[in-house]
């Protein structure tokens, strides 16, 4: 099996994997919707009104409630077999993108597409910073293993990793947003952009968004520093102690050439393997960080949908998240293939 065949095979596997994910999640939403206190009960309570209910016998009141429940279930397609419900969602509602939100009464795609640029800004910035900082830092730590720089940076990195992302976010807001008297008021307290900058557009809007993203991106990236940095350091140190590196040195090559032309490329393999997972998490948004800084991105939107039992939005978000995750895994395989030419695809 050559590389092209391998990639085509992996691409074909995305389809059943994607449908497996959506089928399981769709089934869970159907179960939750009909469970006590679920979406059906919530809509039934709204229909009857708080303290509502007309005077009459208990039998007629019970019959009325049962009729209303059946009406709601028919509206949500819950009265149909599961396979038919899934077909309606997947085909007629275009993977839920044209289904209407229970809360906003608009198609889910109209609501989601407004939030994609926000999460893209947040995700791309955090993604690039994570790799652009952690890979060089890991290399520097490996080349200076045991030095004062290695020990000091390890303390800083692991301290940042030990503190939860929400705690870092709250501390940054406290110290740098003027929420407590006596501390600095440097960065905006919340939001993705200011109204004045949005009206002006251009570079003013770009700079304003970057200014708003400083604290949330910092809070998110700090928690992922340790994993990527230590992974890069340990991988490079392992490659530097390998037989092939010693062979290169024995043949007269300089240590610099042995590291950068031979060990470095192989040390990137573990980083490339986890590329897809990191990509999916970052681009889908962070619920915690977006909630703390009140950024109306995809992560915050997903949390709102779960709280309000808006399963149409939730399923649409699952489709986008699953697609990003699966494509990210495919990119990981492609990067792995480029980095390590020794891989056999038999």
């Amino acid at each position: 099996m050559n590389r092209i065949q391998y990639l085509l095979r992996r691409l074909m596997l995305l389809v059943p994997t994607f449908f497996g994910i959506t089928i399981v999640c769709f089934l869970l939403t159907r179960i939750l919707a009909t469970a006590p206190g679920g979406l059906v009960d919530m809509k039934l309570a709204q229909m009857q009104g708080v303290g509502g209910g007309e005077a009459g016998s208990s039998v007629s009141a019970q019959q009325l409630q049962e009729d209303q429940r059946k009406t709601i279930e028919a509206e949500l397609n819950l009265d149909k077999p599961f396979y038919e419900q899934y077909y309606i969602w997947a085909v007629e509602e275009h993977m839920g993108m044209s289904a209407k939100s229970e809360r906003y009464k608009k198609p889910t795609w109209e609501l989601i597409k407004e939030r994609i640029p926000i999460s893209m800004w947040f995700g791309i910035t955090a993604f690039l910073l994570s790799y652009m900082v952690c890979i060089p830092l890991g290399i520097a730590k490996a080349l200076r293993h045991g030095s004062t720089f290695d020990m000091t940076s390890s303390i800083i990195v692991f301290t940042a990793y030990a503190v939860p992302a929400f705690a870092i976010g709250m501390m940054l807001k406290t110290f740098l947003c003027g929420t407590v008297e006596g501390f600095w008021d440097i960065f905006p307290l919340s939001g993705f952009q200011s109204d004045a900058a949005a009206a002006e557009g251009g570079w003013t809007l770009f700079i304003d968004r970057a200014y708003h993203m400083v604290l949330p991106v910092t809070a998110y990236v700090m928690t992922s520093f340790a994993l990527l940095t230590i992974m890069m350091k340990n991988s490079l140190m392992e490659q530097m102690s390998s037989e092939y590196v010693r062979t290169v040195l024995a043949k007269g090559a300089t240590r610099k050439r042995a590291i950068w032309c031979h060990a470095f490329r192989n040390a990137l393999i573990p980083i490339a393997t986890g590329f897809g997972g990191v990509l999916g998490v970052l681009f889908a948004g962070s619920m915690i960080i977006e909630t703390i800084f009140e950024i109306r991105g995809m992560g915050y939107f997903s949390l709102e949908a779960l709280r309000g039992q808006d399963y149409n939005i939730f399923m649409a978000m699952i489709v986008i998240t699953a697609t990003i995750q699966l494509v990210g895994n495919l990119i990981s395989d492609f990067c792995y293939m480029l980095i390590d030419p020794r891989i056999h695809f038999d």
Side-chain angles (χ1 to χ4, degrees), residues 29-40:
T29 61
R30 301 296 93 181
I31 294 172
L32 291 173
T34 55
L39 181 60
V40 174

Side-chain angles (χ1 to χ4, degrees), residues 36-320:
L39 181 60
V40 174
D41 285 350
M42 184 177 71
K43 290 176 74 67
L44 184 61
Q46 292 173 353
M47 184 179 291
Q48 294 175 342
V50 179
E54 298 177 358
S57 66
S58 60
V59 176
S60 60
Q62 185 176 0
Q63 182 62 41
L64 176 62
Q65 183 174 350
E66 189 63 29
D67 291 341
Q68 290 174 335
R69 178 177 291 275
K70 288 180 180 179
T71 302
I72 294 169
E73 290 178 350
E75 180 186 342
L76 299 173
N77 296 320
L78 293 170
D79 58 335
K80 297 178 175 64
F82 175 75
Y83 67 86
E84 191 174 343
Q85 295 180 44
Y86 185 81
Y87 176 83
I88 293 172
W89 174 82
V91 179
E92 296 181 8
E93 295 179 348
H94 308 96
M95 288 296 174
M97 295 301 168
S98 61
K100 287 192 176 181
S101 163
E102 295 293 336
R103 177 180 177 182
Y104 299 98
K105 307 302 179 184
K106 293 181 180 180
T108 57
W109 175 244
E110 288 187 13
L111 298 168
I112 291 173
K113 70 180 181 180
E114 298 173 358
R115 291 158 175 81
I116 289 178
I118 300 175
S119 290
M120 290 290 285
W121 259 79
F122 181 66
I124 291 175
T125 306
F127 180 80
L128 291 177
L129 282 176
S130 295
Y131 279 86
M132 289 174 64
V133 174
C134 294
I135 290 179
L137 181 58
I139 294 171
K141 287 172 64 63
L143 297 178
R144 304 177 187 179
H145 178 64
S147 65
T148 304
F149 168 78
D150 181 35
M151 299 298 293
T152 304
S153 60
S154 293
I155 293 172
I156 296 172
V157 165
F158 280 110
T159 300
Y161 181 71
V163 181
F166 72 88
I168 293 177
M170 293 304 297
M171 286 191 294
L172 290 174
K173 286 185 71 172
T174 300
F175 297 141
L176 300 176
C177 294
T179 56
V180 178
E181 188 177 353
F183 291 104
W184 297 289
D185 185 6
I186 302 175
F187 294 101
L189 184 63
S190 60
F192 174 62
Q193 62 190 23
S194 62
D195 295 336
E200 189 169 345
W203 280 104
T204 302
L205 179 59
F206 179 85
I207 295 171
D208 183 72
R209 286 181 175 178
Y211 189 56
H212 278 77
M213 286 291 102
V214 170
L215 296 188
V217 169
T218 301
Y220 192 83
V221 169
M222 284 181 70
T223 58
S224 62
F225 266 8
L227 183 62
L228 287 173
T229 301
I230 300 305
M231 186 185 298
M232 186 67 217
K233 175 191 173 182
N234 293 340
S235 180
L236 183 57
M237 289 185 63
E238 181 181 354
Q239 297 300 324
M240 287 167 59
S241 61
S242 300
E243 289 289 341
Y244 74 90
V245 173
R246 288 198 289 266
T247 301
V248 170
L249 292 172
K251 288 183 176 181
T254 62
R255 184 171 181 268
K256 184 177 180 180
R257 179 177 177 80
I259 291 172
W260 293 108
C261 296
H262 298 275
F264 174 69
R265 184 173 180 175
N266 291 329
L268 288 175
I269 293 174
I271 305 295
T273 304
F275 184 84
V278 173
L279 186 69
V281 171
L282 288 175
F283 282 76
S286 170
M287 291 185 184
I288 298 174
I289 299 300
E290 290 184 8
T291 301
I292 290 173
F293 290 95
E294 298 179 27
I295 300 171
R296 311 293 178 175
M298 293 173 66
Y300 185 89
F301 198 44
S302 299
L303 184 60
E304 271 192 333
L306 285 173
R307 285 174 175 171
Q309 300 189 65
D310 200 336
Y311 296 126
N312 286 334
I313 289 180
F314 174 74
M315 283 304 303
M317 297 294 293
I318 287 292
V319 169
I320 295 174

